[in-house]
């Protein structure tokens, strides 16, 4: 039987206490699911390229790239878990994932977003040291310290999420910071670091554009309905930031374009491909 616009639909028709499901036309479903699948798929694919690039090519094994790798993992998990779950709940206006996942999901989302914020903060700190004190950069910033900071940051955000859940107050942490990329090991000329810092200004601007509306919306949540178009726009602008970060790398960083070319052409499976020079200017 064809469903009419005014017909009542339930999330679980066999349960008398089921919530009422919002009516949507077939075309609305097609558009929404296409958008959801596209954003989720591209976010996972682009960030997977970043993760493979930094993990495989030896020249990219630097402290700053480790922080970028941490951010890419957070962005990939956003596309793999957060966007599909939140998108399905928004489109269907029902929760089909059960009570247990309803309890666990806020912990996962909080940890993922916290990992993203922590990674961006550490990258901004790393770049600040590289620009302001380049001659002591390799002494202050080491690979082991980067590993410790990333591990501690992710672990502490997970523990904090558990504490919030016990109080039934699981919410996304309100933290904003910045990000950038390295130029290899050793002391780097200050002009190179300054150029890198200017390039990352675009990434920082995109990050703030995506996140600030959400923070503002959190402050006016009492005066604006949670399911209004304003909040929907804020949330999805926030989620799409995870897809934008790799695009910034592709736009500004030659090493990323070179590594992606070798990944997509399967050249990375050749022997000794991990030692490929992804910085042609350093021959």
């Amino acid at each position: 039987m064809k469903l009419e616009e005014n017909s009542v639909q339930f999330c679980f028709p066999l349960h008398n206490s089921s919530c009422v499901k919002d009516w949507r036309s077939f075309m609305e479903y097609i558009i929404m699911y296409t958008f959801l699948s596209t954003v989720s798929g591209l976010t996972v694919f682009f960030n997977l390229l970043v993760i493979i690039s930094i993990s495989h090519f030896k020249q990219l094994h630097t402290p700053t790239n480790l922080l970028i790798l941490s951010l890419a993992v957070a962005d990939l998990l956003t596309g793999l878990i957060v966007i599909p779950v939140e998108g399905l709940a928004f489109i269907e206006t029902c929760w089909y994932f059960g009570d247990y996942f309803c309890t666990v999901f806020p912990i996962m989302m909080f940890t993922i977003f916290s990992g993203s914020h922590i990674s961006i903060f550490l990258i901004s700190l790393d770049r600040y040291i590289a620009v302001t004190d380049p001659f002591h950069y390799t002494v202050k910033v080491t690979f082991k310290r980067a590993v410790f900071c990333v591990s501690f940051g992710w672990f502490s955000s997970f523990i904090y999420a558990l504490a919030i859940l016990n109080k039934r107050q699981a919410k996304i942490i309100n933290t904003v910071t910045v990000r950038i990329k390295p130029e290899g090991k050793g002391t780097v000329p200050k002009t190179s670091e300054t150029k890198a810092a200017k390039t990352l200004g675009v990434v920082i601007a995109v990050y703030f554009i995506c996140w600030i509306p959400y923070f503002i919306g959190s402050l006016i949540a009492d005066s604006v309905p949670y399911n209004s178009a304003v909040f929907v726009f804020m949330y999805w602008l926030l989620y799409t930031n995870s897809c934008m970060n790799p695009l910034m790398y592709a736009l500004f960083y030659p090493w990323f374009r070179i590594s992606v070319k070798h990944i997509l052409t399967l050249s990375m499976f050749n022997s000794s491909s991990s030692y490929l020079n992804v910085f042609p200017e350093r021959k």
Side-chain angles (χ1 to χ4, degrees):
M1 182 177 67
K2 184 178 180 180
L3 294 174
E4 300 295 336
E5 182 172 354
N6 294 326
S7 64
V8 178
Q9 302 179 55
F10 296 94
C11 293
F12 300 95
L14 299 180
H15 293 270
N16 295 330
S17 60
S18 175
C19 297
V20 176
K21 181 179 180 180
D22 289 352
W23 184 92
R24 298 189 191 281
S25 67
F26 178 75
M27 186 56 64
E28 285 180 307
Y29 276 115
I30 293 296
I31 294 174
M32 286 182 164
Y33 273 112
T34 300
F35 174 78
L36 174 64
S37 301
T38 301
V39 173
S40 178
L42 290 179
T43 300
V44 172
F45 177 70
F46 289 154
N47 284 286
L48 191 59
L49 290 177
V50 176
I51 294 172
I52 295 174
S53 297
I54 296 176
S55 301
H56 180 73
F57 297 104
K58 300 294 185 181
Q59 277 191 326
L60 301 180
H61 292 182
T62 62
T64 309
N65 277 347
L66 176 64
L67 303 180
I68 291 179
L69 177 65
S70 173
L71 181 62
V73 170
D75 289 339
L76 182 142
L77 292 176
T78 299
L80 191 65
I81 301 174
V82 178
I83 293 178
V85 173
E86 288 283 278
L88 186 61
F90 171 72
I91 295 173
E92 298 294 339
T93 66
C94 299
W95 182 262
Y96 291 126
F97 302 99
D99 295 337
Y100 176 76
F101 193 71
C102 182
T103 301
V104 173
F105 181 66
I107 299 178
M108 299 173 65
M109 187 166 64
F110 183 96
T111 303
I112 291 170
F113 285 157
S114 295
S116 176
H117 297 322
I118 291 169
S119 299
I120 289 176
F121 169 76
L122 292 175
I123 292 170
S124 68
L125 181 61
D126 170 86
R127 291 297 85 192
Y128 175 79
I129 296 174
V131 172
T132 59
D133 193 8
F135 297 105
H136 297 92
Y137 172 76
T138 54
V139 176
K140 294 181 177 180
V141 181
T142 64
F143 195 82
K144 289 184 178 180
R145 289 180 180 178
V147 170
F148 172 78
C149 290
V150 169
S151 301
F152 179 79
W154 278 85
F155 178 75
S156 61
S157 69
F158 175 73
I159 296 300
Y160 187 57
L162 288 177
I164 289 182
L165 181 68
N166 291 334
K167 297 178 181 179
R168 295 182 180 180
Q169 296 177 348
K171 295 180 181 179
I172 300 175
I173 193 169
N174 297 338
T175 323
V176 196
T177 37
V178 290
R179 71 181 297 177
I180 201 161
K181 145 199 183 291
E183 285 294 337
K185 300 180 180 179
T187 302
V188 184
K190 191 168 183 178
T191 54
S192 177
E193 295 295 349
T194 302
K195 181 180 179 180
K198 291 180 180 179
T199 300
L200 261 293
V202 178
V203 176
I204 296 169
V206 172
Y207 179 82
F208 275 98
I209 290 173
C210 292
W211 277 90
I212 284 182
Y214 167 77
F215 296 131
I216 294 176
S218 299
L219 298 176
I220 61 174
D222 294 336
S223 58
V224 179
Y226 178 78
N227 59 348
S228 66
V230 174
F231 262 98
V232 171
F233 173 77
M234 289 178 181
Y235 272 107
W236 283 98
L237 183 63
L238 179 153
Y239 296 149
T240 53
N241 177 247
S242 296
C243 184
M244 295 178 186
N245 292 330
L247 295 179
M248 296 297 103
Y249 300 145
L251 189 61
F252 296 114
Y253 299 144
W255 65 261
F256 183 63
R257 295 195 294 270
I258 293 173
S259 62
V260 167
K261 178 181 177 181
H262 281 77
I263 292 172
L264 296 181
T265 59
L266 304 183
S267 299
M268 62 173 289
F269 292 106
N270 296 335
S271 59
S272 302
S273 64
S274 60
Y275 295 94
L276 175 75
N277 180 20
V278 294
F279 298 101
E281 68 277 8
R282 298 181 188 175
K283 293 181 179 179

